Amino acid sequence: MAASDSHIRRTPLGHSAGTGLFYACVASLVLATSASCNRCTAKPRALVTGRPSGFATSIALMDDVDGDGLRDLAISSPVEGRIEFVSSHSGMTMGLVSYSGDKAFGLALLVLDDIDGRGAGDVLVAGSQAIYVFSSETKNLLYVHPRPNSSARVAVTAVIDLDFDGLRDIAVLDGASKCLSVLSSGKGALIWRVPLARSPVATAVVWDSRSSQIVFASHEATVNALERCGVGGKLEEPLRIDSPGVVGESLLVIDDLDGDERPDYIINCRTSSADIHGSVVAVSGRTGAQLRRFQAYRDLSDFGRAVVCLRDAAVGGDSSCLAVGSPRLWQSKHRSQGAVTVISPAIENIICVVAAPVGAFGFGRAIVADRNRVYVAAPDTEGESHGTAGVYVLAF
């Protein structure tokens, strides 16, 4: 779908020559920047709506529970103290787990391997008091691993099987205890824990399978860095990131962009503490040098709060695009309505911008992708309205 004047409210999307910066302007529905991009759904489809503020703070892909050929969703609602298992086709709730004793139940979600042997991956839920693991089939609590009683952020990811029980284990980056831990997913037992010298940005941690390392961002004074830890718990020398503001609220491993035979990374960053817009940067996995920078312009803010790879979607003919969430519009009457921008780091292009439907507050706060479908959370965490939080589907 080619861009036309009827789609554009303000300045069209463009590239500032010689700066390496790419600017996006929000469109009324979709602003496409490539004639070959004809696969963006013009109007995001509501999957689940009408939920209280905070619903869909975190979302995760599950196995195909209802047998329709699509992976289903686990969706957290910390205010309600519960996780819902939702059909990704119909939006129907197929089950839920709840825990009223934790004030932040659902800070983070992770779908694990099949721990209880019932044929489906089980679900990890991070809360303010503990890490909880539930059976996705019976909804029973399998085990609990305590953490400091704090609502400080915590990030989780699956790593390789370190205790040789046939199940991938769990890396936990905890902002409260300022440490990185690896737990046995089968038993919940601690395998190792590493104290961190610098404060972790405990909103994202990823497993780099090519280098067999756990990767996350850290911040200390004016120094931002990417930290890498091997499977034995040994920290490597950090990769310093040249950005004065906070970096690493979102983080993604991507293919090798600079030809050094090592995976590179996508992170979000801010140029200063006063930078409301934000940007997304591709950095070298070997040196930390900036390779690409995509920056939202004018209306979009909090750009890069969520980033996922659309490797199987082939948007605009590119099979390695990224979907980038911007859950706020700075100059909008409703500032917490947002957008999702599709970018291509490989060809240095922005493919399209999909604006939030009316009433979808916080659109782009969390994103997951399954093949050609992207699920976008609109959790209304700022409480601008009542009963409008939900999840939307984009198809490519």
Side-chain angles (χ1 to χ4, degrees):
M1 181 183 67
S4 65
D5 291 343
S6 63
H7 293 114
I8 303 170
R9 283 191 199 153
R10 297 183 177 86
T11 308
L13 195 71
H15 174 209
S16 179
T19 66
L21 302 183
F22 296 78
Y23 297 102
C25 173
V26 69
S28 57
L29 287 176
V30 175
L31 166 62
T33 63
S34 168
S36 63
C37 180
N38 58 4
R39 303 182 68 180
C40 289
T41 297
K43 186 175 182 180
R45 178 174 70 86
L47 183 68
V48 184
T49 57
R51 300 303 179 86
S53 177
F55 177 83
T57 296
S58 298
I59 53 178
L61 287 169
M62 303 175 61
D63 294 329
D64 177 12
V65 177
D66 55 3
D68 63 0
L70 299 172
R71 295 177 67 183
D72 295 309
L73 300 175
I75 306 176
S76 77
S77 183
V79 173
E80 297 177 291
R82 70 185 193 180
I83 309 299
E84 294 189 19
F85 304 135
V86 173
S87 167
S88 61
H89 175 71
S90 66
M92 181 182 299
T93 299
M94 300 179 292
L96 60 87
V97 296
S98 60
Y99 191 82
S100 59
D102 195 314
K103 63 182 179 182
F105 185 75
L107 278 175
L109 292 176
L110 178 66
V111 176
L112 305 171
D113 292 337
D114 180 14
I115 296 170
D116 61 359
R118 294 180 176 269
D122 296 310
V123 179
L124 177 151
V125 183
S128 62
Q129 300 175 10
I131 301 294
Y132 309 88
V133 174
F134 292 86
S135 168
S136 62
E137 289 292 307
T138 67
K139 313 303 182 290
N140 292 334
L141 180 64
L142 300 179
Y143 62 78
V144 176
H145 183 87
R147 65 179 293 248
N149 190 359
S150 169
S151 57
R153 294 297 306 184
V154 60
V156 290
T157 192
V159 301
I160 58 173
D161 177 16
L162 294 178
D163 59 357
F164 307 106
D165 62 357
L167 303 168
R168 293 176 302 160
D169 293 314
I170 309 159
V172 180
L173 182 66
D174 199 317
S177 59
K178 202 175 174 181
C179 69
L180 175 68
S181 305
V182 170
L183 310 179
S184 167
S185 65
K187 309 176 187 66
L190 179 68
I191 296 176
W192 53 255
R193 176 180 286 127
V194 177
L196 303 173
R198 290 167 288 275
S199 298
V201 181
T203 54
V205 60
V206 297
W207 170 247
D208 183 346
S209 60
R210 293 190 189 179
S211 61
S212 295
Q213 292 178 319
I214 302 165
V215 185
F216 58 95
S218 68
H219 177 79
E220 196 68 32
T222 59
V223 178
N224 293 292
L226 282 180
E227 308 274 0
R228 297 163 296 170
C229 186
V231 294
K234 182 179 179 180
L235 287 165
E236 285 195 6
E237 189 69 22
L239 293 176
R240 181 163 178 168
I241 305 299
D242 185 18
S243 176
V246 174
V247 306
E249 292 174 315
S250 60
L251 174 63
L252 195 65
V253 182
I254 60 171
D255 294 333
D256 177 16
L257 291 179
D258 55 359
D260 63 1
E261 299 182 349
R262 182 160 185 161
D264 298 315
Y265 302 111
I266 291 285
I267 60 172
N268 74 321
C269 65
R270 302 177 188 277
T271 56
S272 70
S273 58
D275 178 10
I276 61 170
H277 298 294
S279 56
V280 170
V281 179
V283 299
S284 168
R286 186 176 296 277
T287 66
Q290 180 176 302
L291 305 175
R292 310 275 195 277
R293 185 179 178 198
F294 293 85
Q295 181 169 317
Y297 179 65
R298 192 172 294 176
D299 282 353
L300 299 181
S301 64
D302 212 2
F303 186 69
R305 185 60 179 267
V307 182
V308 297
C309 183
L310 307 182
R311 189 176 302 277
D312 298 326
V315 183
D318 185 358
S319 61
S320 59
C321 289
L322 306 176
V324 181
S326 311
R328 291 174 60 85
L329 300 181
W330 180 245
Q331 294 183 356
S332 170
K333 177 182 178 182
H334 299 293
R335 292 184 176 182
S336 62
Q337 291 192 101
V340 171
T341 304
V342 180
I343 66 175
S344 170
I347 62 175
E348 304 186 37
N349 193 21
I350 295 181
I351 306 298
C352 62
V353 181
V354 182
V358 174
F361 297 96
F363 184 80
R365 174 65 176 77
I367 308 173
V368 294
D370 179 27
R371 293 178 291 182
N372 66 333
R373 295 165 66 89
V374 178
Y375 303 95
V376 183
D380 186 24
T381 53
E382 297 185 15
E384 291 205 19
S385 65
H386 301 286
T388 65
V391 175
Y392 295 79
V393 183
L394 308 179
F396 295 98

